[in-house]
Amino acid sequence: MFGLHPDSDIIHRGVRVTLRRATLPGSDHATHEREVVEAADAVVVLPLLDDGRVVMIRNERFALKETLWELPAGTVEPGEPQEVTAARELAEETGYRAARVERLTDFFPTPGFCTERLHAYRATGLTEVGQSLDATERIVPHVVGWSEAMEMVRDGAV
């Protein structure tokens, strides 16, 4: 995880995140306070069926009070290899197991205030095994064509 300025204090330590307040020097020679969310790394998976269709999910997000179109994703557990996380989250959320999980890239989805790095994977050779959701998850898998998935991305539905 990236280091914060030495003048940072923990404001709150939660189950999934830690919130810090950092004091940063400004170009105006003054100091400025910023909040930083420290979060574990996560994975996102692009599951492709043999015919090129995409397994997406409808995920009820309590923080937004909305159900969103998403790709399966989840938090990397301490000591867990990212590709293992990707395979685990794929099976739990979509009900599909992958024969192959390949790394695509990684990126910071919200670098302005959060330390989370998202690791992207492609999953192929899928076999349906049934979902295994956490008690608080409300996720419904949907298989969509590639062109439909790309249209959803362009339209901002994903």
Side-chain angles (χ1 to χ4, degrees), residues 111-124:
F113 67 91
C114 186
T115 63
E116 177 188 52
R117 182 187 301 245
L118 203 54
H119 304 273
Y121 286 84
R122 174 179 43 227
T124 55

Side-chain angles (χ1 to χ4, degrees), residues 3 9 18 24 26 28 39 43 45 48 72 74 83 87 90 92 97 114 121 124 132-133 135 142 146:
D9 299 307
T18 297
L24 306 175
D28 59 358
V43 299
V45 183
L48 297 174
E83 59 276 0
L90 172 69
E92 288 175 3
R97 181 177 298 128
C114 186
Y121 286 84
T124 55
S132 178
L133 299 175
H142 291 271
W146 180 259

Side-chain angles (χ1 to χ4, degrees), residues 35-145:
E35 289 83 24
V36 175
V37 175
E38 290 181 345
D41 285 0
V43 299
V44 61
V45 183
L46 174 62
L48 297 174
L49 294 168
D50 292 340
D51 62 6
R53 293 180 301 156
V54 181
V55 182
M56 298 185 66
I57 59 174
R58 293 284 288 156
N59 193 353
E60 187 178 305
R61 292 297 188 174
F62 79 94
L64 302 176
K65 297 181 183 159
E66 288 189 36
T67 300
L68 304 178
W69 280 105
E70 300 179 1
L71 292 172
T75 303
V76 178
E77 298 296 334
E80 183 178 48
Q82 297 155 6
E83 59 276 0
V84 171
T85 305
R88 176 177 53 77
E89 290 292 341
L90 172 69
E92 288 175 3
E93 294 186 358
T94 69
Y96 284 88
R97 181 177 298 128
R100 291 168 302 286
V101 176
E102 305 162 272
R103 182 183 178 282
L104 297 173
T105 190
D106 60 76
F107 57 96
F108 294 98
T110 51
F113 67 91
C114 186
T115 63
E116 177 188 52
R117 182 187 301 245
L118 203 54
H119 304 273
Y121 286 84
R122 174 179 43 227
T124 55
L126 304 183
T127 305
E128 200 164 353
V129 294
Q131 283 179 298
S132 178
L133 299 175
D134 293 340
T136 59
E137 291 179 314
R138 288 171 181 77
I139 298 172
V140 178
H142 291 271
V143 175
V144 301

